[in-house]
Amino acid sequence: DSGVTQTPKHLITATGQRVTLRCSPRSGDLSVYWYQQSLDQGLQFLIQYYNGEERAKGNILERFSAQQFPDLHSELNLSSLELGDSALYFCASSAGGGPDIQYFGAGTRLSVL
Amino acid sequence: SQQGEEDPQALSIQEGENATMNCSYKTSINNLQWYRQNSGRGLVHLILIRSNEREKHSGRLRVTLDTSKKSSSLLITASRAADTASYFCATVLRTNDYKLSFGAGTTVTVRA
């Protein structure tokens, strides 16, 4: 158990809908990262937050947004969902804002029908 | 685009044999990390090797790093059925963000 909790584990929804994925980092970790894993794109970095502030952005679509709350949990919001958004979404956390080991949650499997 | 590329894409070995997989990357790194993923589950961190290190060991795992060739290798010795998984290398670049850039992974199957 990595200590990173992601909910829900599975999500099935329809095109055009909006969903929220939730992540609770390991106790004491200040950084949260979101990654998307799909068959065609592999593992792609989406966005990073450090202590409530956005630190870095990767290949995140404009339809996607995220935030990190004062208690350090994070949410990834996906809107106007398309079939191609079906993927595994991982959250990872690390202790600080540096090049540390990242601890991954079990992921949320999103299926857009 | 992916920073790292693993080779081979897939590997099948007998229990007790060693497994070696390689990772090549394109730009200067701060560190390189190896992760394991069991079928559709979360990634588990295995080893982190910094750019000024050449070799690291952890149990049955040995990682080497050659920054002049921009490559790394992961050796799993005396493999077990439980080692069956996908293995990913991930690089952290020398930038102000510390995201992981993953390769496509090597799928390892250990036959009993």
Side-chain angles (χ1 to χ4, degrees), chain A residues 33 35 37 41-45 48 55-59 88 90 97-107 109, chain B residues 1-2 30-31 33 35 37 39-45 48 50 88 92-93 96-104:
Chain A
Y33 301 78
Y35 294 86
Q37 185 178 33
Q41 296 289 324
L43 271 157
Q44 299 280 331
F45 166 73
Q48 178 203 0
R55 171 67 68 91
K57 252 183 174 176
N59 300 321
L88 258 175
F90 289 109
D100 307 316
I101 294 170
Q102 293 182 24
Y103 296 89
F104 281 74
R109 184 173 293 280
Chain B
S1 64
Q2 292 173 328
N30 179 296
N31 67 62
Q33 303 180 35
Y35 286 81
Q37 183 180 33
S39 187
R41 302 183 68 175
L43 286 91
V44 175
H45 181 267
L48 180 155
R50 302 189 191 284
F88 294 89
V92 178
L93 303 181
N96 287 333
D97 68 63
Y98 300 108
K99 65 179 185 287
L100 294 169
S101 297
F102 285 90

Side-chain angles (χ1 to χ4, degrees), chain A residues 33 35 43 45 99-100 102 104, chain B residues 1-6 22-35 45 47-51 64-67 70-72 88-95 97-104:
Chain A
Y33 301 78
Y35 294 86
L43 271 157
F45 166 73
D100 307 316
Q102 293 182 24
F104 281 74
Chain B
S1 64
Q2 292 173 328
Q3 155 81 328
E5 291 185 10
E6 284 97 337
N22 304 295
C23 169
S24 60
Y25 57 91
K26 297 172 185 166
T27 56
S28 294
I29 60 172
N30 179 296
N31 67 62
L32 185 145
Q33 303 180 35
W34 286 90
Y35 286 81
H45 181 267
I47 278 189
L48 180 155
I49 186 165
R50 302 189 191 284
S51 60
T64 62
L65 179 65
D66 187 335
T67 53
K70 292 187 170 59
S71 67
S72 173
F88 294 89
C89 71
T91 53
V92 178
L93 303 181
R94 292 185 177 281
T95 56
D97 68 63
Y98 300 108
K99 65 179 185 287
L100 294 169
S101 297
F102 285 90

